[in-house]
Amino acid sequence: MGQVSINENVMDLTPDGPRLKGMRCKECNNHVFPMQSGCPKCTSDNVEEVQLGNKGTLWAWTIQGFPPKAPPYLGEANPEKFKAYGVGYIELPGQLKVESRLTISDPTQLKSGMMMEIVGEAIGEDENGNELVTFAFAPTD
Amino acid sequence: MSDDVAIVGIGIHPFGRHEGVSGMEQGAIAIRKACEDAGISWNDLQFAFGGSVAAGSPDHMVSQMGLTGLQFINVVNGCATGGSALISTFNTIKSGAYDLGVAVGFDKHERGAFRVQTGKQGERDWYGGSGMALTTQFFGMKINKYMEDYGITQSSLAKVASKAFRNGSKNENAWRRQAFGEEEVLQSQMLSYPLTQYMFCSPGEGGVALVLARADKAHQYTDKPIFLKSAVVRSRKYGSFEVLAPSLALDYADGPTVDASKAAFEAAGIGPEDIDIAQLQDTESGAEIMHMAENGFCEHGEQEKMLADGETEITGRLPVNTDGGCLANGEPVGASGLRQVYENVLQLRGQAGKRQVPDSPKVAYTHVYGAPGISGVTILSA
């Protein structure tokens, strides 16, 4: 029983924390997350998988104030126990803006432009009792 | 402006929840009313376009409407499904193929529908599983950023919702007909900051039908034809900020609403200053605010003062969502865009009763927006 990535096709769990796998277009350098087979910017299919950056700035955000439907949600969906969480887009320099959970759920502590970095967040368990880890972004200080 | 196509009959089945009445029956009832309004029967219709996302194939209704052999084509196009049925009807008449047809849209969604299943078959749904993939989050993020960028306050969000329910209380076909004050709106549950429960519309039920005819034959059916000047749908471009996007480009581009609006104004040969009344997509109250600017009716940020001055009230300079919009009517996706057109026809005919816009409006505008990044606009004139 250990920790496993919520989905290895989109995220690796490394000793330094989660790392996201994205698409880079070799023709126009456009990035997309997760990996896909063609570039929506220039229409080329000459693309490769790359690891996305682990730090960036908050671009837009909200707070998820009610439990999402389960399934598909893997986290706590019981309204009695549910805890609100932040959701936002983080701009990764030179790559893209990635949508992510945020570790902060207090609107007074979130501001566009703040520096954030990726961290792992336990969201549930798989069928073998391993802890499923997804990604979230946390303020860098 | 060319006068090629006219709306000569309109029908609606009330929006809301109707236990025991299928979505398709609601569409059929709307068609019967539209035919009665135009003084025709189902037999007279040469063709139909039908839109529904969740309530079955519209053409199946021929078995209850009558097996006349007419051309009946189904349309499914996300949140622009109803609008797309209308555009197809409009273009069919413009092309000269037929003279008289009907656009019908209906839907029936359960409470809390619009749940999104994402991810590839056979692998774990990491997107929804992680607590993303909710359309409400997109709306919260987009308006929250917009408020930061352009100085819109939460009080304006409450004003929009309060206006919707006030207008809905004057509409016998609306789902929510109880007026709520701004305080009640602000104090309802915070769903997706800064949006509260009463600032969001709900999935619902309803049906709308519009009978269209060649403009030069319109007076056979009605003494108040309303001319459809343009009807446009646009999908998104690279860089636009849309629902359900695990990543966005670094570049930022305008959304499909801006493109659809420009194309519709160009086709009609007029501009935003010529519009007397507008029905704008208000999935939540922030959407109405952003769509005022995206459709060209003001600069970004001017909405704060416009709302404070009551400019979008029924008695204001540019009445917006006079029938209560999606907030008071709910959103049966297949019918929603056609509801907006129905309301504008009533207003241009001067038949909107307690919510009639004063001084005989002459030119009216509708706009839908939704998943997966699609927008539809129509312009009507009396």
Side-chain angles (χ1 to χ4, degrees):
Chain A
M1 313 298 147
Q3 291 196 323
V4 295
S5 166
I6 187 167
N7 185 326
E8 289 178 345
N9 294 325
V10 302
M11 188 191 94
D12 280 330
L13 261 186
T14 78
D16 296 325
R19 291 295 181 267
L20 302 178
K21 298 168 162 182
M23 181 215 87
R24 188 186 82 86
C25 175
K26 294 186 193 175
E27 303 292 336
C28 74
N29 197 41
N30 180 41
H31 288 68
V32 177
F33 171 78
M35 181 67 188
Q36 62 178 48
S37 60
C39 176
K41 184 176 186 182
C42 75
T43 74
S44 167
D45 61 358
N46 185 16
V47 301
E48 63 178 350
E49 187 177 288
V50 293
Q51 190 178 84
L52 297 179
N54 60 329
K55 280 187 187 161
T57 51
L58 187 61
W59 183 74
W61 58 272
T62 185
I63 310 289
Q64 178 63 31
F66 62 96
K69 296 259 162 49
Y73 189 46
L74 295 166
E76 182 56 70
N78 177 345
E80 307 292 311
K81 298 181 191 164
F82 172 77
K83 287 201 178 74
Y85 56 89
V87 174
Y89 281 95
I90 295 89
E91 187 164 338
L92 306 177
Q95 294 181 327
L96 47 67
K97 302 174 194 121
V98 65
E99 189 179 10
S100 174
R101 287 175 73 102
L102 306 174
T103 58
I104 304 285
S105 59
D106 174 0
T108 65
Q109 289 182 43
L110 288 167
K111 190 144 185 64
S112 293
M114 69 193 290
M115 281 293 300
M116 305 195 97
E117 66 183 329
I118 197 167
V119 296
E121 188 157 304
I123 193 84
E125 280 188 359
D126 73 5
E127 49 283 1
N128 303 317
N130 293 305
E131 198 170 60
L132 282 172
V133 177
T134 188
F135 58 97
F137 275 75
T140 50
D141 45 36
Chain B
M1 286 209 245
S2 65
D3 285 341
D4 297 325
V5 181
I7 299 174
V8 299
I10 59 174
I12 192 167
H13 182 280
F15 281 39
R17 293 212 184 279
H18 307 288
E19 209 172 330
V21 188
S22 73
M24 196 170 298
E25 282 174 78
Q26 296 179 42
I29 288 165
I31 291 183
R32 290 201 172 93
K33 288 186 181 170
C35 286
E36 189 186 332
D37 187 45
I40 60 168
S41 75
W42 174 252
N43 269 314
D44 300 314
L45 289 167
Q46 298 165 336
F47 72 101
F49 281 90
S52 165
V53 169
S57 295
D59 65 307
H60 289 192
M61 72 166 62
V62 295
S63 62
Q64 51 178 310
M65 295 303 302
L67 299 171
T68 62
L70 86 172
Q71 170 188 298
F72 197 126
I73 296 176
N74 298 330
V75 180
V76 177
N77 202 11
C79 290
T81 291
S84 299
L86 178 61
I87 285 170
S88 305
T89 307
F90 174 64
N91 285 330
T92 299
I93 292 176
K94 262 176 94 96
S95 76
Y98 290 114
D99 297 339
L100 186 67
V102 66
V104 61
F106 55 86
D107 249 315
K108 187 178 181 85
H109 308 291
E110 308 154 23
R111 179 184 298 275
F114 305 168
R115 169 191 320 207
V116 179
Q117 292 285 358
T118 55
K120 292 179 193 156
Q121 198 115 38
E123 69 171 60
R124 182 171 286 115
D125 177 2
W126 64 274
Y127 191 41
S130 296
M132 296 183 278
L134 282 89
T135 55
T136 42
Q137 294 171 346
F138 162 78
F139 291 112
M141 284 190 275
K142 189 175 178 196
I143 187 61
N144 197 23
K145 177 168 177 55
Y146 194 87
M147 289 163 72
E148 273 184 14
D149 289 349
Y150 298 109
I152 303 294
T153 62
Q154 219 192 7
S155 155
S156 286
L157 299 180
K159 283 191 175 71
V160 168
S162 185
K163 168 174 71 70
F165 296 122
R166 197 163 52 248
N167 292 352
S169 73
K170 298 174 184 161
N171 177 2
E172 65 282 7
N173 291 311
W175 182 9
R176 317 266 188 213
R177 275 172 277 175
Q178 185 187 345
F180 287 107
E182 290 172 35
E183 270 313 300
E184 287 167 286
V185 171
L186 286 168
Q187 277 159 21
S188 63
Q189 191 194 350
M190 183 65 77
L191 295 186
S192 193
Y193 183 91
L195 298 168
T196 65
Q197 186 182 355
Y198 291 179
M199 296 178 189
F200 274 104
C201 83
S202 307
E205 305 175 18
V208 179
L210 306 169
V211 174
L212 273 63
R214 257 176 59 171
D216 58 1
K217 299 191 173 178
H219 282 280
Q220 293 177 22
Y221 309 107
T222 176
D223 51 9
K224 285 182 184 166
I226 302 300
F227 301 99
L228 187 51
K229 297 298 181 181
S230 58
V232 170
V233 165
R234 288 288 181 274
S235 58
R236 65 198 183 280
K237 284 184 184 157
Y238 176 75
S240 73
F241 182 17
E242 308 296 342
V243 289
L244 306 176
S247 74
L248 298 171
L250 290 181
D251 305 340
Y252 189 79
D254 286 328
T257 291
V258 174
D259 293 332
S261 176
K262 280 183 183 155
F265 278 123
E266 196 178 310
I270 61 169
E273 66 282 357
D274 299 312
I275 299 296
D276 299 321
I277 173 173
Q279 316 297 334
L280 306 177
Q281 178 78 29
D282 58 335
T283 318
E284 39 78 28
S285 52
E288 179 175 314
I289 292 174
M290 294 183 285
H291 290 148
M292 286 164 65
E294 290 184 7
N295 285 290
F297 295 114
C298 63
E299 296 297 323
H300 293 297
E302 283 180 0
Q303 302 96 323
E304 184 76 11
K305 183 165 190 311
M306 288 175 74
L307 287 161
D309 294 347
E311 289 190 24
T312 56
E313 298 286 339
I314 285 171
T315 52
R317 179 175 65 85
L318 179 70
V320 173
N321 291 333
T322 48
D323 67 349
C326 290
L327 290 174
N329 287 280
E331 192 176 20
V333 173
S336 210
L338 299 182
R339 170 186 55 75
Q340 298 176 325
V341 176
Y342 178 94
E343 170 68 5
N344 277 351
V345 171
L346 277 187
Q347 292 282 354
L348 295 178
R349 286 176 174 178
Q351 295 172 347
K354 282 186 283 185
R355 61 182 191 285
Q356 177 65 46
V357 168
D359 303 327
S360 312
K362 296 284 185 298
V363 188
Y365 186 95
T366 72
H367 159 261
V368 289
Y369 167 81
I374 189 167
S375 189
V377 169
T378 73
I379 296 174
L380 270 57
S381 82

